[in-house]
Amino acid sequence: MAKAPQRHRARWRHEVASFGYAIQGIREALLSEPHLRFHALATAVVVALGAWLHVSRHDWALLALAVGAVWAAELMNTAIETIIDLVSPDFHPLAGRAKDVAAGAVLLMALAAGVVGLLVFGPPLWDKAVALNGHP
């Protein structure tokens, strides 16, 4: 009977540790990947702009999904590039193709996130610009 709670605790510790590994992976990627640092800066700008414009909860949800998708795509791209560098340290056309496709996925997601940003921030920024120019 005592084995079940011990197994449960061991599993729980393993699950908690896996979060630590995930956070470590994000940290390592931030330290080694300039594009991810750019995404971190862009995330800070999105959060600051959203706070300044007092966007709705719905808009925050859209922004969070867009930002999270870009981060996830960039992290997957980094993982793919790392694996390719491990298994194919010399140039190979298929390795290059895989890297290009993974980078293309990041670009596509970043463009989609940009569209979300324009749709969410465009109207309130336009309203502020019009108000600054003295128009009703």
Side-chain angles (χ1 to χ4, degrees):
M1 288 280 228
K3 289 187 180 196
Q6 287 175 343
R7 258 188 308 210
H8 181 68
R9 276 187 292 240
R11 181 182 163 144
W12 178 250
R13 272 181 280 197
H14 174 73
E15 295 296 325
V16 170
S18 69
F19 281 104
Y21 299 139
I23 291 168
Q24 179 65 20
I26 294 169
R27 183 181 158 291
E28 287 179 16
L30 272 168
L31 294 173
S32 66
E33 297 298 319
H35 290 115
L36 201 56
R37 288 193 294 276
F38 172 79
H39 293 308
L41 176 63
T43 299
V45 169
V46 165
V47 169
L49 200 53
W52 180 59
L53 294 173
H54 305 286
V55 299
S56 69
R57 285 187 324 166
H58 177 263
D59 286 344
W60 275 118
L62 293 172
L63 293 169
L65 286 171
V67 166
V70 170
W71 276 75
E74 187 66 58
L75 290 168
M76 289 300 296
N77 180 50
T78 299
I80 289 167
E81 287 183 352
T82 301
I83 290 169
I84 290 170
D85 290 345
L86 175 67
V87 301
S88 182
D90 297 326
F91 175 78
H92 189 284
L94 291 176
R97 181 176 177 207
K99 286 183 173 187
D100 291 347
V101 170
V106 176
L107 177 61
L108 186 63
M109 193 63 251
L111 291 172
V115 170
V116 170
L118 286 173
L119 292 172
V120 169
F121 294 138
L125 283 173
W126 180 261
D127 291 345
K128 286 194 180 284
V130 167
L132 283 174
N133 288 324
H135 295 62

